[in-house]
């Protein structure tokens, strides 16, 4: 009888050990996911900063963007147009990556919605629409770009500049 009781107690202790191990593994998985999310956001932040710094160090891009903001796109030089194409292509590629990260669960819907809003605003600029048509992306992102192109507001004067007043106007 004592052997049976001992066996029962060992099974109960083993069961608690298994339950404790599962709880521990669950906590580790949660921590691993939090670390992965943090690293993903850090990577996006670093990419954004790098793209912005590259733009700020390019006189052609700054000049081209100034012409876009002041509605003088017809005065773009070839170097300015090339700088704009690569800059907008970089931004679109970042958005494509963000869309992939959203699908994988590493990007919040709130952040993704902000990306979609920015994408739609960006596509109100005719030359940026042309660039978006020329670049190719994964099929799922390409369809999002096509949908955003279909939704481009007809009267989006303040969309791209977010309503800010620029002193050069």
């Amino acid at each position: 009888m004592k052997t049976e009781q001992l066996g029962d107690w060992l099974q109960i202790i083993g069961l608690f050990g298994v339950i404790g191990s599962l709880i521990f593994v669950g906590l580790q998985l949660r921590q691993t996911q939090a670390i992965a999310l943090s690293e993903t956001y850090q990577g996006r932040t670093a990419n954004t900063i790098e793209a912005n710094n590259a733009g700020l160090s390019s006189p052609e891009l700054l000049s081209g963007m100034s012409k876009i903001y002041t509605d003088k796109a017809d005065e773009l030089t070839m170097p300015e147009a090339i700088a704009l194409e690569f800059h907008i292509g970089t931004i679109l590629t970042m958005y494509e990556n963000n869309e992939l990260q959203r699908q994988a669960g590493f990007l919040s819907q709130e952040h993704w919605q902000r990306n979609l809003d920015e994408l739609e605003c960006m596509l109100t600029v005719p030359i940026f629409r042309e660039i978006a048509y020329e670049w190719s992306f994964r099929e799922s992102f390409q369809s999002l770009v096509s949908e955003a192109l279909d939704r481009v507001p007809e009267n989006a004067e303040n969309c791209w500049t977010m309503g800010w007043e620029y002193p050069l106007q």
Side-chain angles (χ1 to χ4, degrees):
M1 185 99 165
K2 288 188 175 195
T3 307
E4 290 177 16
Q5 284 181 340
L6 180 62
D8 290 344
W9 278 108
L10 289 175
Q11 285 181 1
I12 291 171
I13 291 170
L15 181 63
F16 281 118
V18 169
I19 291 170
S21 295
L22 289 174
I23 290 171
F24 181 73
V25 168
L27 292 173
Q28 280 186 314
L29 287 173
R30 183 182 295 174
Q31 183 181 27
T32 301
Q33 182 183 19
I35 290 168
L37 283 170
S38 177
E39 288 175 353
T40 301
Y41 272 81
Q42 180 60 37
R44 274 195 304 277
T45 299
N47 288 342
T48 301
I49 290 169
E50 185 178 329
N52 287 339
N53 285 339
L56 290 173
S57 65
S58 167
E60 294 83 9
L61 181 59
L62 292 174
S63 177
M65 290 299 282
S66 295
K67 289 177 182 176
I68 297 295
Y69 283 141
T70 57
D71 200 26
K72 297 179 183 174
D74 57 334
E75 298 176 13
L76 287 170
T77 65
M78 185 58 73
E80 291 167 340
I82 291 169
L84 284 169
E85 178 178 357
F86 282 102
H87 181 70
I88 296 305
T90 298
I91 291 172
L92 289 169
T93 301
M94 289 170 56
Y95 287 162
E96 178 184 30
N97 179 279
N98 286 353
E99 190 257 346
L100 181 65
Q101 297 296 325
R102 180 193 61 82
Q103 288 178 346
F106 290 112
L107 183 68
S108 69
Q109 185 59 38
E110 177 185 22
H111 190 110
W112 177 241
Q113 186 58 53
R114 191 177 115 216
N115 283 185
L116 286 177
D117 293 344
E118 290 171 358
L119 175 64
E120 286 187 19
C121 282
M122 185 174 72
L123 294 175
T124 63
V125 178
I127 191 169
F128 297 165
R129 285 196 299 275
E130 292 174 29
I131 293 168
Y133 278 122
E134 292 174 10
W135 283 63
S136 61
F137 303 99
R138 289 178 308 106
E139 188 176 319
S140 62
F141 184 70
Q142 190 66 50
S143 68
L144 285 172
V145 170
S146 295
E147 291 170 15
L149 285 165
D150 291 341
R151 288 190 305 268
V152 170
E154 293 298 314
N155 185 5
E157 295 172 5
N158 291 327
C159 191
W160 178 247
T161 61
M162 307 298 179
W164 302 327
E165 293 295 324
Y166 288 91
L168 299 175
Q169 291 184 352

